[in-house]
Amino acid sequence: MRSAAKNPLILIADDSAMNRAVLVEMLESEYELIEAKNGEEAVEQLHRHSMELSLVLLDIVMPVLDGFGVLAEMNRHRWIEQLPVIMITSETTPDRIEQAYEMGATDFIGRPFDPLIVHKRVINTILLHAKQKKLIDLVADQIYEKEQSSSLMIDILSHIVEFRNGESGLHVRHVNLLTAMFLRHLSQHTDHYRFSRSEISLISTASALHDIGKIAIDDKILNKPGRLTTEEFEIMKTHSEMGARMLKELPIHQEEPLVRVAYEICRWHHERYDGRGYPDGLVGDQIPISAQIVALADVYDALTSERVYKPAFTHDKAVEMILGGECGTFNPLLMDCLRELSGSIQDELRGDNLVRANEREMRNIAEELLRHKELTSAERTLHLLEHERMKYAFFASLTNEIQFEYTTTPDVLSLSTWGAERLGLEEVELEPFQNEKVIAILGADVWRELFQTLQAATAEEPDFTYDCLVHYPDGDRWARIVARTSWSPEDPPVFTGVIGKAVDIHDSRLKLRKLEQMASHDPLTGLLNHAAAREQIKARMEVAPEGNYALAMLDLDHFKSANDTYGHSFGDKVLCFLAEKIRRTIRTGDIAARVGGDEFLIFLEYQQELASMIQRIYSSLGGEFEGFRLSVSMGVSTSEEAGQDYNALFQMADSALYTVKRGGRGQCRFYDPLSMKDALSAITPIDADTGASKEEK
């Protein structure tokens, strides 16, 4: 066995002694080297050192067995899965290269050898393969950590059995370690059995339950210090069936692999390869391999541990007894396994186990990386990812934007640090829409509308924007959400989440609203200007063409005299005073606008008698402002004559107003469709000063 502190071991397989000598000279200062002068010798070396080798340099053209034959053997024994191979060749034909790659070769070195190329490719291949293996193991270890809670509970239950049995509490742990050790060795040194890491973990965990049936055995028999009688031994033997029955009668989890394997171990770990075991007298491979291995581990630890009925045997004596058949017959492959592992079993049980070996290997890799100052592609990728994460966090802190990510499975909302502080939330909110603080940020109605916007997005068009008012702890502000939805790859795609940011647009929105106000409103009176009113009126009639509408055009009588007598500043005040009267007189849904100069319009929808509505409005517009009497002339048209045509409606109202002005001002008239000369309608003229009809006066 090589020391773990030594340099990586490389096998050079080449029929040319000169080629081997050149490669040895290039590599011997940094690596341990073994040689093979043909493919057959290479396979022999692989049998001896496959677990120690870090790399194989393999010539293609060799006597007895060529390089492809060696690759075939490496695939058959599955060495190729753990051991990288660099092919040595002077041939560059695509077919040969492709064949080597298909059989698992990692790289090529051409002859004549370039020392720099050889050195770099050897280093890179060893480091890359070692790092990839460790990364895979690290991921696997994270998965195995999740099994520890279940394993702990099983250990506790099993130790209860051991405590009741009066046996050492270490028995369960020893059986677990030995089972894992035997399983790994079988996988690496025989073609008959192959176990994945997850299978090894499963079987070794289930081994802790092998004697659970002893709970049902009487204490007097369990802890009897002397030899059991025949009757007592028959009772003791029932523990294997008892344990299996307990597992089979579990009301749940019957389909779980752990329960299935634990059942096999409980029932059959006392069966023997020659059929002389119990309870079912199974022979050979009728016994599940899990039960066979646990049986060997159980017997070994029972021999080397003190019991109430015997002292502990030494390791060597226990191995001798098992190999000599004194403890029953076992699978010959397991006997080979015991022989080959005999020298390391005690170290394993004392704790010098695979975990420490892995730590040593990881330190060696780290030292190798530092010595050559090189990083593998995987290492570079990790560094780049970390660098990108740091950049993201830095820029997020500068932008003052609320950056977020939401996933449906799990139901989690993640916020940037600045965003979480700004909103008064945690950076990670689990089940966010069950959280009142999250709901309050936008309000239930806005969240509902936002989700409707999300549902309108698709995998083909995943982006969207949405403006909304955000309720911050220090006040409300407008924000624009810019986001991209994510979708599952299946057909049809399923919505899985969204990423994006919320940008503050409050100040710009207020400026825009002010500009819109300026563009659509008369700067003096604050009423709509004619252009904006026209567009709103058209839109109203398009949306509800079946409605009844009226348009009133009104003109301030004798306004010129106000300007001439009191000045234009006074005239502006008069216009503002009239505008305010109009604003107070009309209903919420009505539209009022300054057409220009001293002319105004009012647009309204009606369902009942229109004449009384117009008379009310007209009557309210009379009065006095700082000694100046207000008198208004008004012309009115309706959609009954003009239809849904704004221009016709406006022209008819203007024509009716012109008729009033021509008739002496201070009156209100409807447009009369029966007379092209705008004859007076049936409405009694109204005095703008008093609001009373002329007849009443």
Side-chain angles (χ1 to χ4, degrees):
M1 184 71 69
R2 296 172 63 249
S3 168
K6 289 188 178 181
N7 290 331
L9 180 64
I10 297 176
L11 168 61
I12 301 174
D14 194 315
D15 63 318
S16 169
M18 181 177 294
N19 289 340
R20 296 199 305 275
V22 170
L23 290 170
V24 168
E25 184 178 354
M26 291 178 181
L27 301 171
E28 63 182 350
S29 64
E30 295 182 75
Y31 301 97
E32 287 192 59
L33 306 169
I34 54 177
E35 301 178 40
K37 63 177 180 291
N38 58 52
E40 190 174 84
E41 285 189 9
V43 173
E44 291 175 1
Q45 295 285 18
L46 285 165
H47 273 289
R48 294 194 194 100
H49 304 288
S50 64
M51 297 302 297
E52 304 167 67
L53 283 166
S54 297
L55 177 67
V56 177
L57 295 175
L58 180 62
D59 188 17
I60 290 182
V61 181
M62 291 187 295
V64 185
L65 187 68
D66 66 8
F68 292 116
V70 175
L71 285 176
E73 285 295 303
M74 293 185 72
N75 277 276
R76 189 169 72 85
H77 291 281
R78 300 179 69 174
W79 296 325
I80 199 72
E81 296 175 7
Q82 303 294 328
L83 187 56
V85 177
I86 297 178
M87 304 301 292
I88 302 170
T89 181
S90 56
E91 298 185 32
T92 58
T93 57
D95 291 345
R96 306 278 275 182
I97 293 175
E98 183 178 355
Q99 182 182 357
Y101 277 130
E102 287 178 352
M103 296 183 74
T106 305
D107 204 349
F108 279 81
I109 295 176
R111 286 195 297 261
F113 299 128
D114 182 313
L116 179 61
I117 292 176
V118 170
H119 190 255
K120 289 293 183 183
R121 289 192 175 176
V122 166
I123 290 173
N124 290 342
T125 300
I126 291 176
L127 294 182
L128 177 62
H129 197 271
K131 194 65 177 181
Q132 286 174 335
K133 182 177 181 297
K134 297 313 296 181
L135 288 172
I136 291 170
D137 288 347
L138 287 172
V139 172
D141 288 342
Q142 291 177 356
I143 297 172
Y144 299 145
E145 283 178 10
K146 295 179 181 179
E147 299 175 5
Q148 292 307 305
S149 296
S150 298
S151 178
L152 177 61
M153 293 303 296
I154 291 173
D155 282 354
I156 292 171
L157 180 60
S158 302
H159 279 295
I160 292 172
V161 176
E162 298 300 328
F163 178 78
R164 187 170 180 272
N165 194 22
E167 296 178 353
S168 166
L170 291 176
H171 178 62
V172 169
R173 177 55 56 197
H174 287 173
V175 170
N176 177 287
L177 291 172
L178 289 169
T179 298
M181 193 176 184
F182 293 151
L183 287 165
R184 284 194 298 271
H185 192 81
L186 280 176
S187 291
Q188 295 163 358
H189 292 81
T190 70
D191 296 327
H192 196 66
Y193 298 109
R194 293 292 180 184
F195 302 100
S196 66
R197 286 193 61 170
S198 60
E199 289 171 328
I200 292 173
S201 175
L202 179 69
I203 295 171
S204 58
T205 299
S207 71
L209 295 171
H210 69 284
D211 274 343
I212 194 174
K214 287 184 178 179
I215 291 175
I217 303 300
D218 190 286
D219 286 351
K220 294 178 182 178
I221 297 176
L222 273 180
N223 299 314
K224 183 177 179 178
R227 180 182 292 274
L228 297 177
T229 65
T230 301
E231 181 181 1
E232 290 170 337
F233 184 61
E234 290 300 319
I235 294 173
M236 176 67 80
K237 286 164 59 176
T238 63
H239 80 275
S240 57
E241 292 179 274
M242 291 284 192
R245 187 181 306 132
M246 290 176 187
L247 292 169
K248 194 167 187 178
E249 291 176 355
L250 282 174
I252 55 175
H253 304 309
Q254 284 298 318
E255 300 303 318
E256 291 292 331
L258 179 65
V259 175
R260 177 182 55 79
V261 174
Y263 175 88
E264 294 175 352
I265 292 170
C266 277
R267 186 172 184 90
W268 295 309
H269 73 283
H270 283 292
E271 299 286 355
R272 291 296 177 260
Y273 208 68
D274 58 1
R276 295 184 180 182
Y278 63 85
D280 299 315
L282 301 183
V283 178
D285 286 335
Q286 290 179 343
I287 310 168
I289 189 61
S290 58
Q292 293 187 49
I293 291 175
V294 171
L296 178 59
D298 185 33
V299 167
Y300 172 85
D301 192 65
L303 291 173
T304 56
S305 301
E306 184 177 349
R307 293 288 186 264
V308 293
Y309 54 85
K310 73 164 191 70
F313 293 106
T314 65
H315 163 75
D316 291 337
K317 180 61 177 177
V319 172
E320 179 186 335
M321 291 172 68
I322 294 171
L323 295 177
E326 296 180 46
C327 304
T329 306
F330 291 91
N331 188 329
L333 287 175
L334 292 183
M335 295 297 92
D336 292 340
C337 187
L338 179 62
R339 289 188 192 92
E340 292 164 8
L341 289 174
S342 177
S344 57
I345 286 177
Q346 289 299 291
D347 288 339
E348 181 81 13
L349 297 183
R350 280 195 298 266
D352 189 15
N353 54 27
L354 185 64
V355 173
R356 294 189 180 180
N358 278 346
E359 290 174 354
R360 289 196 302 271
E361 184 182 352
M362 202 62 184
R363 284 196 296 271
N364 292 339
I365 292 171
E367 291 170 1
E368 194 77 8
L369 284 169
L370 291 173
R371 182 161 64 247
H372 296 290
K373 296 183 173 16
E374 294 182 359
L375 294 173
T376 66
S377 60
E379 186 82 0
R380 285 196 300 273
T381 300
L382 291 174
H383 276 266
L384 287 172
L385 287 172
E386 177 62 16
H387 182 62
E388 290 302 314
R389 187 196 66 78
M390 291 175 60
K391 283 201 304 183
Y392 164 79
F394 174 70
F395 287 125
S397 67
L398 295 179
T399 57
N400 287 350
E401 297 172 346
I402 300 171
Q403 300 180 2
F404 64 87
E405 177 181 5
Y406 171 69
T407 57
T408 58
T409 307
D411 185 13
V412 174
L413 174 66
S414 303
L415 296 163
S416 59
T417 302
W418 187 90
E421 292 176 355
R422 183 76 177 90
L423 294 170
L425 299 174
E426 300 295 330
E427 289 187 35
V428 177
E429 292 282 359
L430 303 177
E431 298 185 340
F433 303 111
Q434 306 300 320
N435 186 331
E436 292 183 0
K437 289 179 67 177
V438 174
I439 297 298
I441 292 297
L442 298 182
D445 291 340
V446 176
W447 276 119
R448 194 176 300 110
E449 186 175 331
L450 178 56
F451 280 124
Q452 290 174 353
T453 304
L454 279 173
Q455 292 169 357
T458 64
E460 293 74 25
E461 297 183 1
D463 300 340
F464 72 92
T465 60
Y466 181 82
D467 292 354
C468 58
L469 195 64
V470 180
H471 306 300
Y472 296 105
D474 58 352
D476 296 349
R477 292 184 69 85
W478 281 93
R480 173 164 294 157
I481 296 173
V482 182
R484 170 167 292 181
T485 54
S486 57
W487 302 81
S488 65
E490 61 253 28
D491 188 19
V494 176
F495 172 74
T496 58
V498 60
I499 59 172
K501 61 182 181 179
V503 183
D504 188 288
I505 60 168
H506 192 75
D507 294 338
S508 60
R509 186 181 178 91
L510 293 183
K511 289 179 182 178
L512 180 60
R513 181 175 292 178
K514 187 175 181 180
L515 290 172
E516 290 175 346
Q517 178 81 7
M518 292 173 61
S520 61
H521 287 71
D522 172 53
L524 177 63
T525 64
L527 295 177
L528 289 172
N529 59 37
H530 187 200
R534 179 173 58 243
E535 295 306 314
Q536 288 192 21
I537 293 169
K538 286 182 176 180
R540 180 81 65 83
M541 292 192 295
E542 286 178 4
V543 170
E546 71 285 353
N548 295 318
Y549 303 101
L551 180 68
M553 289 287 297
L554 57 105
D555 181 274
L556 187 60
D557 297 332
H558 312 299
F559 179 65
K560 185 176 183 302
S561 66
N563 282 330
D564 293 343
T565 305
Y566 302 102
H568 288 285
S569 177
F570 179 81
D572 289 345
K573 292 180 181 179
V574 171
L575 292 175
C576 290
F577 181 74
L578 178 59
E580 184 60 27
K581 275 182 166 287
I582 294 172
R583 191 180 289 112
R584 292 178 180 178
T585 299
I586 64 176
R587 301 167 301 180
T588 302
D590 298 340
I591 297 172
R594 182 185 178 194
V595 177
D598 60 343
E599 288 190 341
F600 298 83
L601 68 77
I602 298 173
F603 175 82
L604 53 88
E605 184 175 1
Y606 64 93
Q607 295 178 347
Q608 298 176 350
E609 177 61 35
L610 175 62
S612 59
M613 292 177 61
I614 293 297
Q615 185 158 336
R616 179 187 62 80
I617 293 172
Y618 184 75
S619 300
S620 68
L621 298 179
E624 182 180 302
F625 177 76
E626 295 182 6
F628 179 76
R629 286 185 173 275
L630 297 180
S631 174
V632 176
S633 298
M634 181 180 289
V636 182
S637 63
T638 68
S639 58
E640 294 180 28
E641 295 84 24
Q644 305 302 315
D645 185 341
Y646 172 78
N647 291 331
L649 195 65
F650 182 85
Q651 289 172 4
M652 290 178 181
D654 189 54
S655 179
L657 176 61
Y658 178 74
T659 300
V660 172
K661 287 182 177 181
R662 190 176 58 186
R665 299 179 181 275
Q667 298 178 4
C668 176
R669 304 291 186 196
F670 276 86
Y671 176 79
D672 185 358
L674 300 177
S675 171
M676 295 297 294
K677 296 180 180 180
D678 297 319
L680 293 178
S681 69
I683 291 182
T684 303
I686 299 172
D687 189 296
D689 291 334
T690 64
S693 67
K694 300 293 185 179
E695 294 177 355
E696 291 172 339
K697 290 178 68 176

